[in-house]
Amino acid sequence: MSHIIFVQNLSGHDQEFEVHGWNNNQNMVVGAGQTSTINAPDGSSGAIIALHDGHEGEQAEITKNGFGGNDFFDLSNIVGAGGNMTVQQVNNPATRKGDPLFMQNLNNAYHNADDATKQSLQPCVHLDGNGNVVRIDAIKDYPQLENFVRTFADGKTYIGVGAWGGSPGNASDNNQSSAAQGNTDIQVTYNDGDASPPSSQIAPVMHFRNLIQRDVQPSGPGIILHNHTDQQQQYAFFNNYWNGNGTAGANFDHPDPIITVNANDSTFVSLPESFKGRVQRGTQLPATWVEFQISADNDGAAHGDISLQQGCDGAATISATDGSGRSNGFTDDIVSGAPDAAFQNKPDGTRALATTVGNWMSGPNQAAIDWENQKVGQQRAYIQGGTGTDDVASSNKCLAVDFY
């Protein structure tokens, strides 16, 4: 079995992380205000290390489902620091490790230090043009730096080398390796400011897949498409015209392929690994979009989400098929019962909720925005803006899409 490590970047800039043990040992870049995911099989161990101008900094060291069936993790600064990071089990702040204001506390301690201390730290403490600390080197290489960091971070983060090679280590550091509570998803949070994770940002993994009996299994890169309605349906795949860093040229007029799925049936749709776009009911708007890519540049996995920004013509979910259980979206009918002001029917007369961001047909519909926030919420589907919706990743380049 596997669980998910959520890597959340609360800062206002893209942040690169060095990944050991997972993600094919490839670095990953998490966009400003974004959350990325890593599939972590039970029994595996690794580290997620923030990089600062190419230098290793704060790191979350994690073992999944270790001794006694518990997760073990700590937040370490032994190889350096340039930002703030915490690690905990998802939605369980009692398990949190790390100093969420490490850099601020470091800077304050440095400015309050005497001249002799500052002089001793010159080889390993790096300042900006205003004399503020922006980065420190590996604490393990500078005993004077370890002593200094313990004055403000002792017991909050792993500072020394710990119990290793016959050394008993430091008791405060050793306590950082205490067991968590069982085996769950893990949340790593990075920020230049406070790295305390907002509890509302990440929801527990939803297990829609446990409710779905799938006769179709993954057979390569692509989508397992399931029609949960009592009528035959057509689903249109739109490959983006172009893709950039956080941007894309949406395709509105050239669907390829268009797939017919019988009532309460499913099929596998093979797609090239280069596919980045969406699938929707039919070809007309407004429509619920299931956005996805088959092979992401940073980790080679398939990623996807649900978007209501170009309308809503029914519920949809997107799920991993790699055994991780990761899924997002919604299954309730939110079209029926919506206020009249929220509707903008399709050209063929099909009833649908209007766009929340605007397009060539109309501007943003506030009634639709309010209704969808009430019934679904930004965490389960994009309603407005490009953040706050959980990404679903599947390491086998195959996602399951269910339309209701």
Side-chain angles (χ1 to χ4, degrees), residues 22-106:
W22 305 293
N23 199 43
N24 296 317
N25 292 311
Q26 299 296 308
N27 289 9
M28 63 188 300
V29 176
V30 182
Q34 300 294 308
T35 300
S36 294
T37 59
I38 295 173
N39 187 54
D42 287 353
S44 64
S45 296
I48 299 166
I49 309 170
L51 297 178
H52 305 284
D53 296 324
H55 299 276
E56 292 181 335
E58 54 282 357
Q59 62 177 303
E61 302 171 310
I62 303 167
T63 294
K64 289 296 302 154
N65 194 28
F67 180 78
N70 296 308
D71 295 327
F72 289 79
F73 50 80
D74 62 70
L75 201 292
S76 173
N77 291 105
I78 63 173
V79 298
N84 301 321
M85 186 185 287
T86 57
V87 58
Q88 66 175 62
Q89 292 179 317
V90 166
N91 295 336
N92 190 353
T95 64
R96 187 175 304 164
K97 305 283 183 66
D99 182 353
L101 292 171
F102 181 90
M103 290 301 295
Q104 285 72 20
N105 294 331
L106 168 63

Side-chain angles (χ1 to χ4, degrees), residues 214-234:
R214 298 198 189 280
D215 296 325
V216 177
Q217 298 300 316
S219 56
I223 295 293
I224 296 177
L225 191 59
H226 197 124
N227 173 16
H228 288 269
T229 74
D230 57 6
Q231 295 181 347
Q232 185 183 80
Q233 298 279 350
Q234 281 193 331

Side-chain angles (χ1 to χ4, degrees), residues 28-222:
M28 63 188 300
V29 176
V30 182
Q34 300 294 308
T35 300
S36 294
T37 59
I38 295 173
N39 187 54
D42 287 353
S44 64
S45 296
I48 299 166
I49 309 170
L51 297 178
H52 305 284
D53 296 324
H55 299 276
E56 292 181 335
E58 54 282 357
Q59 62 177 303
E61 302 171 310
I62 303 167
T63 294
K64 289 296 302 154
N65 194 28
F67 180 78
N70 296 308
D71 295 327
F72 289 79
F73 50 80
D74 62 70
L75 201 292
S76 173
N77 291 105
I78 63 173
V79 298
N84 301 321
M85 186 185 287
T86 57
V87 58
Q88 66 175 62
Q89 292 179 317
V90 166
N91 295 336
N92 190 353
T95 64
R96 187 175 304 164
K97 305 283 183 66
D99 182 353
L101 292 171
F102 181 90
M103 290 301 295
Q104 285 72 20
N105 294 331
L106 168 63
N107 194 55
N108 290 336
Y110 181 82
H111 284 295
N112 291 327
D114 57 36
D115 290 341
T117 299
K118 290 179 180 178
Q119 183 68 27
S120 72
L121 295 173
Q122 276 189 353
C124 50
V125 173
H126 303 272
L127 310 177
D128 63 15
N130 295 318
N132 294 316
V133 181
V134 294
R135 187 176 62 81
I136 59 174
D137 291 327
I139 295 175
K140 63 184 180 64
D141 295 333
Y142 298 92
Q144 73 273 31
L145 181 58
E146 177 178 342
N147 293 333
F148 175 68
V149 171
R150 290 200 185 280
T151 65
F152 63 87
D154 192 51
K156 299 179 183 179
T157 179
Y158 221 109
I159 298 171
V161 296
W164 186 261
S167 169
N170 182 281
S172 297
D173 292 343
N174 295 337
N175 289 338
Q176 296 300 306
S177 298
S178 59
Q181 300 172 8
N183 175 28
T184 70
D185 297 332
I186 302 295
Q187 182 173 357
V188 175
T189 305
Y190 173 87
N191 201 359
D192 298 329
D194 191 344
S196 301
S199 59
S200 61
Q201 288 289 317
I202 293 180
V205 169
M206 291 176 281
H207 294 279
F208 296 127
R209 67 186 180 95
N210 293 335
L211 307 177
I212 300 168
Q213 298 299 318
R214 298 198 189 280
D215 296 325
V216 177
Q217 298 300 316
S219 56

Side-chain angles (χ1 to χ4, degrees), residues 221-222 239 256-257 269-276 292-295:
N239 201 355
D256 183 23
V269 182
S270 179
L271 295 169
E273 293 189 18
S274 60
F275 189 100
K276 295 183 180 181
F292 65 92
Q293 58 181 318
I294 295 298
S295 182

